[in-house]
Structure formats: structure tokens, C-alpha cells
Amino acid sequence: TAGIYDTGDVHTNMDVDRTEFKNYVLYLPRFLLYWIGISPMALFWHRGEYRLFKELGTGMFVYYSISSFIWYKSSTVFIFAYWFYPLLEVASFLGAIAYIWHAFVDEKDPGNQYVNSVTILRGQDNIWNEDYHVIHHHFPNVHWTEAPKHFEMEKQKYVKCRATIFADCEEGQICYWMFSALWDEMANHFVDLLYVFTNGEKNEDKLLSVVEAAAYELKLLEDKTTEGKFTPEQLEKRAEAHHTEIKELLLKRLKFHYRNMEERDLKSFDALMNANIRDFEDIPKKID
């Protein structure tokens, strides 16, 4: 039941070290139980949300009744090839996507959606602005076309917690980097909103990735914007130190899992995770 009752999330990956591929394999059955509706039903019943339990149960009954009728009218081979196998295939694929969208956790604030939900800027597979994943989860009332404006409107909240933001990539690439332990490549694409350039500009305004920020610093030197303040060697060392800092930050967020916490801390952790889980009172107004 870990992951059903302790974090309010039926397909949480917060109890495993996400830097190890084997833990994704262990996570898949949990995602499958979510995908076929069993674990959400258990969660709704446990919370006493009987209306949601009834509505989901009704939909599942209709869906599985139709599937059973098709099985009865066809054959086991047909249902395996056109129903069961596709079910496993899509669960494996979407399970990986869900795994990466919420792979990063701030150990001091595990319920922080700005860290826990990945944001991708200039994404290469940004369908319906899902790359603004904080908005996708935390502000479900915002229309997908307004997500970029909402990101700008709420940017200081992202800055405050050094939100998990990447640029010029897509979730499949992040999965590949994580499952292949390509931490340097992952760090290269991170957008550090706390970074301040040598000329005083802030990256919260420019939204450059780590590798782009390093290149921009050299451009400032070439343009003589920071002439006399830094040498190319100093800028290179500064870029290396920044890259190392970001890589360590990402690994720390990936490695955190609540199973290594003291038992006395679990109640406070549970309270943090479940705080305002059904609270949608703070809904922003429509964006002009």
C-alpha cells in the first residue's frame, strides 16, 4: 500500500531512488494498477470519496464488460493481441513519462510542485503546452493556450524554489538521460533561475540552460561587456563550478526517497504531501 495511502498519489515514485533503472521496473506494476483503475478505486474508498468511487466504478464496469463481450465473441489470441498487449505497451510507455515528470523532489519540501513537476521550455514535443507541467497539475483551470502567460505571471514562485526546469529537449530525452545515467547532459539542459550573469543580468529573465549560460558569458567577454573583470579561464572555471553544482542538485533531488527517513518523520511528511490535496480555492483569474 506504500504509494496509495501515504502520499495521496496512487502512482508515486517518491519511495524509490530514481537514479537506478531497476526501480523504474519495480514501479511499473504500481502504474499499471493505476492505469486499470484498481488503485484509484482503493484510494477513493479509503478517503470516503464514495461519489468518485461510484463514478469510476461505473465507468470501469462498462469498459470491462464491453472488453469481456469482445473476448467472448472473438478469441483469446485476438484479445491478447489487440487489447492486453497494447495495454501493457502503453502502460510501460506512459509509466516512463509519468516517472520522469515527477522524478525530482526537494527533501525539505517534498510537496513542492514547482520542484516535483518538471517544466520544459522551448520543448521539442510540447503538445497542448503539457511541458508547463506545474500548470497541468497545480492549476487545472488554466486553459492550455494560456500556460506560457501563466508561467510568466507565476515566475517568481519558480525562482523562489529553484524549480526543476529544462530547455531545448523533451521528456523522452530526459528519460534517456536518467535511465542511462547521463547526468552531465541532463545538467547541461537545466535552466537555473537563480543564476546571475557577470554583467548583473538575471537568468530568470533570459531563461538560458546551463550550457547556453556559459556560452553567453563568453559572448559578453567578446563583446567587451565584462572586459577587465574576468578572463576566459575564469569564466570557464565559473561555468564548470556551476555545472557541477547543478548536477549535484539534480542527483540529490532524484535520489531522495522517504523510505530513508526516520519513522518519526513520516507523519509530518504525510501531512506535507496531503496538505490541500483537494484545495482549489486559490484559483487565478482568467489571463488577459
Side-chain angles (χ1 to χ4, degrees):
T1 59
I4 295 182
Y5 303 141
D6 50 9
T7 69
D9 183 354
V10 295
H11 60 88
T12 182
N13 56 9
M14 221 178 278
D15 57 340
V16 297
D17 181 344
R18 276 86 60 201
T19 63
E20 299 183 14
F21 177 74
K22 65 180 181 181
N23 289 329
Y24 162 67
V25 178
L26 294 174
Y27 161 84
L28 274 178
R30 179 181 298 170
F31 185 82
L32 183 62
L33 288 174
Y34 154 74
W35 193 249
I36 62 178
I38 292 177
S39 56
M41 289 280 285
L43 182 64
F44 292 150
W45 183 267
H46 176 75
R47 284 182 175 162
E49 297 175 328
Y50 301 119
R51 180 182 64 82
L52 294 175
F53 178 88
K54 180 180 178 181
E55 289 177 355
L56 178 59
T58 300
M60 289 172 63
F61 175 77
V62 172
Y63 175 75
Y64 290 116
S65 294
I66 294 173
S67 300
S68 299
F69 178 75
I70 293 172
W71 185 5
Y72 174 75
K73 286 293 186 178
S74 57
S75 67
T76 300
V77 173
F78 178 88
I79 208 70
F80 177 85
Y82 291 96
W83 188 88
F84 186 68
Y85 177 78
L87 172 70
L88 296 179
E89 184 178 41
V90 74
S92 299
F93 172 72
L94 293 181
I97 299 302
Y99 194 78
I100 189 61
W101 274 134
H102 306 288
F104 301 87
V105 183
D106 182 353
E107 62 180 335
K108 295 180 181 178
D109 186 9
N112 190 320
Q113 284 286 340
Y114 296 90
V115 174
N116 185 239
S117 294
V118 170
T119 297
I120 302 176
L121 303 176
R122 306 182 293 276
Q124 298 169 357
D125 188 24
N126 184 21
I127 299 173
W128 293 330
N129 279 327
E130 190 184 20
D131 284 355
Y132 295 94
H133 213 65
V134 175
I135 299 168
H136 171 78
H137 280 281
H138 208 51
F139 301 96
N141 60 298
V142 174
H143 194 268
W144 68 270
T145 58
E146 298 177 331
K149 290 182 181 179
H150 190 276
F151 169 76
E152 291 294 332
M153 185 177 73
E154 299 284 316
K155 189 189 289 182
Q156 286 308 308
K157 293 182 180 179
Y158 291 79
V159 174
K160 185 178 179 180
C161 61
R162 210 177 198 176
T164 306
I165 302 177
F166 296 95
D168 307 304
C169 59
E170 48 97 6
E171 55 268 28
Q173 285 178 290
I174 301 176
C175 279
Y176 172 68
W177 297 333
M178 188 169 75
F179 292 158
S180 304
L182 298 175
W183 312 123
D184 288 315
E185 191 69 20
M186 181 181 285
N188 282 340
H189 288 263
F190 186 80
V191 178
D192 184 7
L193 296 183
L194 294 184
Y195 186 77
V196 179
F197 295 94
T198 50
N199 67 345
E201 290 182 290
K202 296 180 179 180
N203 198 40
E204 65 180 83
D205 298 319
K206 303 197 76 66
L207 300 176
L208 300 181
S209 65
V210 167
V211 69
E212 289 173 331
Y216 183 67
E217 292 281 32
L218 289 174
K219 186 177 184 299
L220 290 176
L221 187 63
E222 292 171 1
D223 294 343
K224 300 184 179 181
T225 307
T226 56
E227 187 179 20
K229 297 180 181 179
F230 297 92
T231 65
E233 291 75 18
Q234 288 175 320
L235 288 179
E236 184 177 344
K237 287 183 179 180
R238 192 174 192 265
E240 289 177 359
H242 185 224
H243 181 276
T244 299
E245 178 189 1
I246 294 303
K247 182 167 73 169
E248 291 175 353
L249 173 71
L250 292 175
L251 284 171
K252 186 176 182 180
R253 290 179 175 181
L254 285 169
K255 284 180 175 291
F256 170 79
H257 56 95
Y258 61 78
R259 289 188 180 277
N260 62 7
M261 299 174 68
E262 297 290 338
E263 186 174 351
R264 66 178 181 273
D265 296 328
L266 289 177
K267 286 188 177 180
S268 59
F269 174 87
D270 187 60
L272 279 171
M273 288 304 303
N274 286 286
N276 303 320
I277 200 162
R278 290 288 189 269
D279 183 7
F280 296 106
E281 293 180 2
D282 186 20
I283 297 177
K285 296 179 181 178
K286 180 175 175 62
I287 303 168
D288 296 326

